[in-house]
Amino acid sequence: MGEKKSAVRICVKQVTKTFAKKAVLQNLSFTVQPGEIFIIMGPSGTGKSVLLKLLSGLDQPTSGEIYINDLPLKQVKKSNRYVLGLVFQAGALFNSLSIFDNLALYFRERQICKEAEIEKRITHVLNLLGLQGIEKQMPSSLSGGMKKRVALARGLLMEPDVLLFDEPTSELDLLTASSIIELIGYVNRHLGITTVVSSHDILLAKTIGHHIGVLQNGTMDTIYTPETLFQSNNAFIKNFLNPRVNLEHPQFPSFLV
Ligand SMILES: Nc1ncnc2c1ncn2[C@@H]1O[C@H](COP(=O)(O)OP(=O)(O)OP(=O)(O)O)[C@@H](O)[C@H]1O
Ligand SMILES: [Mg+2]
């Protein structure tokens, strides 16, 4: 990797996002400090992926603004100096290309550097993520956990200012999930890139989150640390972290029972 860049601060200010008059995010404000891991939690459908899309600039708020180091995100994006590492679901790899060619695509398309330099960078990142030797393999030959790590490798190769992860541990067994959590923590400690993760994963929030916001009714009332989150007396938070399974009175629609 090249020279280490200084980490950026993200400020979300009074952001509202509305779809067909329904506000998914409502007057939401929070700050992600430079170099930290910020976790967006919340039940399914509360707007985590919508918020990540806004942070990536792939979609715009209906009102309000997102700032990167005090400059509006849309302005920063236009400057072309702001690089975003998006690590979405594993499916984002091209199945007809080898792992090496998948990873080299970003450099080749932009003609950023020579083949020898591309090779050096790819080898370096694969080593960092414990994936050495898989360059010639095809995506179909990798497990779900390995694909997620390759997606992370691709994000890192772009030398991003911000890393965004949408549900990095979903669909994985607990052991593989914990290795992904370790990797995100490791990469953050070593490279200090400002990182935002959307996740339901309580283990992830507990172990690598510096700050945690829980989306409810389109907003985050409190920004927690892992300690304050797990000590919270808020009924919604307590139920979200430790839900009851009620077999006697399940919440089925009446036509099913
Ligand atoms: N492009 C869109 N058009 C209309 N509604 C949308 C659009 N994108 C998202 N929504 C709505 O916004 C709400 C939040 O969706 P989102 O995908 O952000 O939830 P989530 O918190 O990521 O859920 P999950 O944990 O299941 O991934 C949902 O009600 C969804 O239907
Ligand atoms: Mg989602």
Side-chain angles (χ1 to χ4, degrees):
M1 312 274 282
E3 252 176 65
K4 198 167 164 175
K5 302 194 245 180
S6 50
V8 303
R9 173 185 288 104
I10 307 171
C11 271
V12 174
K13 286 205 182 138
Q14 298 181 333
V15 162
T16 294
K17 181 68 181 173
T18 311
F19 294 109
K21 294 196 182 150
K22 184 183 151 226
V24 174
L25 302 176
Q26 196 146 34
N27 211 13
L28 172 65
S29 298
F30 65 94
T31 299
V32 183
Q33 300 297 344
E36 77 167 351
I37 300 179
F38 188 98
I39 319 272
I40 303 164
M41 294 191 91
S44 193
T46 45
K48 301 182 297 298
S49 297
V50 167
L51 177 55
L52 273 194
K53 266 202 198 127
L54 299 184
L55 292 175
S56 72
L58 287 171
D59 198 0
Q60 271 70 50
T62 309
S63 64
E65 192 87 71
I66 296 170
Y67 296 88
I68 304 292
N69 288 344
D70 303 327
L71 284 173
L73 172 60
K74 48 183 187 284
Q75 196 175 319
V76 175
K77 274 199 86 168
K78 270 191 218 141
S79 74
N80 278 338
R81 288 206 314 273
Y82 175 66
V83 183
L84 199 83
L86 274 178
V87 186
F88 284 145
Q89 289 292 311
L93 297 174
F94 290 99
N95 285 327
S96 58
L97 297 179
S98 70
I99 299 304
F100 184 88
D101 289 337
N102 259 292
L103 295 178
L105 209 58
Y106 173 76
F107 298 106
R108 288 176 179 158
E109 273 182 349
R110 289 169 185 72
Q111 300 181 330
I112 291 173
C113 52
K114 299 219 167 76
E115 279 294 310
E117 174 66 18
I118 296 177
E119 209 173 310
K120 206 170 105 193
R121 290 193 194 189
I122 290 178
T123 309
H124 178 84
V125 167
L126 289 179
N127 283 343
L128 181 74
L129 302 184
L131 290 169
Q132 52 275 28
I134 67 156
E135 288 88 335
K136 291 207 176 83
Q137 291 193 39
M138 301 304 281
S140 58
S141 71
L142 302 184
S143 70
M146 284 170 96
K147 280 188 197 160
K148 278 194 158 52
R149 276 191 282 164
V150 173
L152 173 55
R154 193 175 46 187
L156 289 178
L157 279 165
M158 295 159 66
E159 302 190 342
D161 294 291
V162 170
L163 269 172
L164 300 179
F165 293 88
D166 199 7
E167 305 276 359
T169 59
S170 60
E171 303 151 35
L172 297 177
D173 65 88
L174 280 177
L175 208 60
T176 313
S178 62
S179 75
I180 295 284
I181 296 171
E182 282 170 7
L183 265 183
I184 298 173
Y186 175 86
V187 163
N188 179 263
R189 272 200 312 283
H190 285 265
L191 305 178
I193 303 169
T194 307
T195 302
V196 182
V197 185
S198 105
S199 184
H200 308 274
D201 188 332
I202 290 167
L203 184 66
L204 183 147
K206 209 182 211 165
T207 50
I208 61 167
H210 296 117
H211 286 104
I212 302 150
V214 185
L215 272 176
Q216 185 193 10
N217 301 328
T219 190
M220 296 169 177
D221 283 339
T222 311
I223 302 300
Y224 297 94
T225 63
E227 291 73 28
T228 59
L229 180 71
F230 288 93
Q231 285 161 8
S232 171
N233 280 323
N234 177 302
F236 169 78
I237 299 286
K238 281 172 92 166
N239 187 47
F240 175 65
L241 296 176
N242 202 0
R244 293 239 176 95
V245 177
N246 189 340
L247 293 177
E248 291 301 316
H249 303 285
Q251 292 177 2
F252 281 139
S254 54
F255 62 83
L256 278 178
V257 286

